[in-house]
Amino acid sequence: MPDPAPQRPIPAATLIIFRDAFGPPELLMVERAKAMAFAGGAMVFPGGRIDPEDHALAALHPTFADAPARIAAIRETIEEAGLAIGLTPRPSPDILADLRRKLHDGVAFGRALDEAGLVLDLARLTPFARWLPAHRHMRIFDTLFFLARAPGGEATVDHTENVRLTWTTARALLDEADASRATIIYPTRRNLERLALFASFDEAVIHAHAHPIRPVTPFMEMRDGVEHLCIPDDLGYPVTAQPMTEVLRG
């Protein structure tokens, strides 16, 4: 019997949040609950699925072809980390807490924004990458990654899909994973290796603008007799292959 075709990709969006530090910038990472079907127990960037409401709100922002993804990234970051990125005016802690509570209760994002007197500023996000795996037997996400500066305020975990959050440099988290003290899946590793190149948020933005946003679809290839999972070598990633025996795909 032939292998089944890959599943239909689920549109998603992720936000890579930079915070200035002494030395390399820190990134906000959340640890997925072990019970989650996708990337359970792994450290990931805040993000999630693009909902129908995100598409409805996108109609108000025709300048951005990727508006649904930008809106989803902003919404998910509020839900998962309690940070207001891409909102004008900057909400007070009480207004932000009320907005987050409404989202958790299922209130539509657009309605919650209107009630809080807030509008979206999608230009605060910079497109960084798009990952679109094509493996079989697993859930597939078509994920747009964006860069943004931390807005200030304290990030707090939602204790639903995620169990903790932390600010860390890209290099430090890679070292933790190599020491088996943290779990990261293949796309997160490749993105952390790329992010470790930058000494500042501005450097990351310049680099992002210099490379096309093209779907990154990993593929298998034999190299020196060893099967590797590879990605294209012209999208800004310093490491483009990893032995399959070392790969965690989610």
Side-chain angles (χ1 to χ4, degrees):
M1 179 180 297
D3 287 341
Q7 298 182 34
R8 184 185 298 274
I10 300 167
T14 285
L15 197 51
I16 301 170
I17 304 168
F18 283 66
R19 183 176 77 172
D20 292 335
F22 293 104
E26 295 177 332
L27 310 173
L28 181 64
M29 306 296 298
V30 296
E31 182 180 341
R32 301 270 290 170
K34 286 184 169 57
M36 298 301 296
F38 177 78
M43 301 296 294
V44 299
F45 305 104
R49 300 182 187 217
I50 301 173
D51 292 341
E53 170 68 11
D54 301 324
H55 284 278
L57 273 178
L60 303 176
H61 301 272
T63 304
F64 299 94
D66 57 1
R70 292 176 186 246
I71 293 167
I74 292 169
R75 175 181 53 74
E76 289 282 347
T77 300
I78 295 170
E79 292 178 9
E80 295 185 1
L83 289 180
I85 294 173
L87 298 183
T88 300
R90 181 176 169 181
S92 69
D94 288 343
I95 290 175
L96 177 57
D98 184 62
L99 176 62
R100 188 184 194 186
R101 183 165 50 251
K102 287 178 178 177
L103 292 176
H104 284 164
D105 289 343
V107 176
F109 192 23
R111 175 185 164 189
L113 290 173
D114 288 343
E115 291 175 350
L118 301 170
V119 295
L120 291 165
D121 182 2
L122 302 188
R124 298 281 184 90
L125 277 59
T126 298
F128 182 67
R130 177 185 175 191
W131 277 71
L132 178 55
H135 46 260
R136 304 170 190 272
H137 310 297
M138 297 178 68
R139 186 176 301 179
I140 296 173
F141 289 90
D142 181 355
T143 306
L144 280 166
F145 290 74
F146 298 93
L147 308 177
R149 289 184 185 274
E154 183 181 358
T156 56
V157 72
D158 64 358
H159 292 294
T160 55
E161 296 181 357
N162 308 307
V163 296
R164 74 180 179 99
L165 56 76
T166 187
W167 292 96
T168 180
T169 66
R171 184 71 264 162
L173 184 52
L174 287 166
D175 290 343
E176 287 290 295
D178 290 342
S180 300
R181 292 191 294 266
T183 300
I184 52 177
I185 59 176
Y186 186 83
T188 306
R189 174 173 282 277
R190 298 287 85 86
N191 279 306
L192 287 169
E193 290 160 349
R194 185 178 173 190
L195 292 163
L197 300 173
F198 313 128
S200 68
F201 174 75
D202 290 337
E203 279 190 16
V205 169
I206 291 170
H207 182 89
H209 287 319
H211 293 83
I213 304 298
R214 198 171 74 235
V216 181
T217 301
F219 57 93
M220 286 183 284
E221 185 173 280
M222 295 297 293
R223 299 189 178 185
D224 297 324
V226 177
E227 191 173 47
H228 282 67
L229 189 61
C230 311
I231 61 174
D233 60 6
D234 61 343
L235 297 178
Y237 289 88
V239 179
T240 58
Q242 185 178 6
M244 280 297 299
T245 54
E246 302 174 4
V247 166
L248 179 62
R249 302 181 75 171

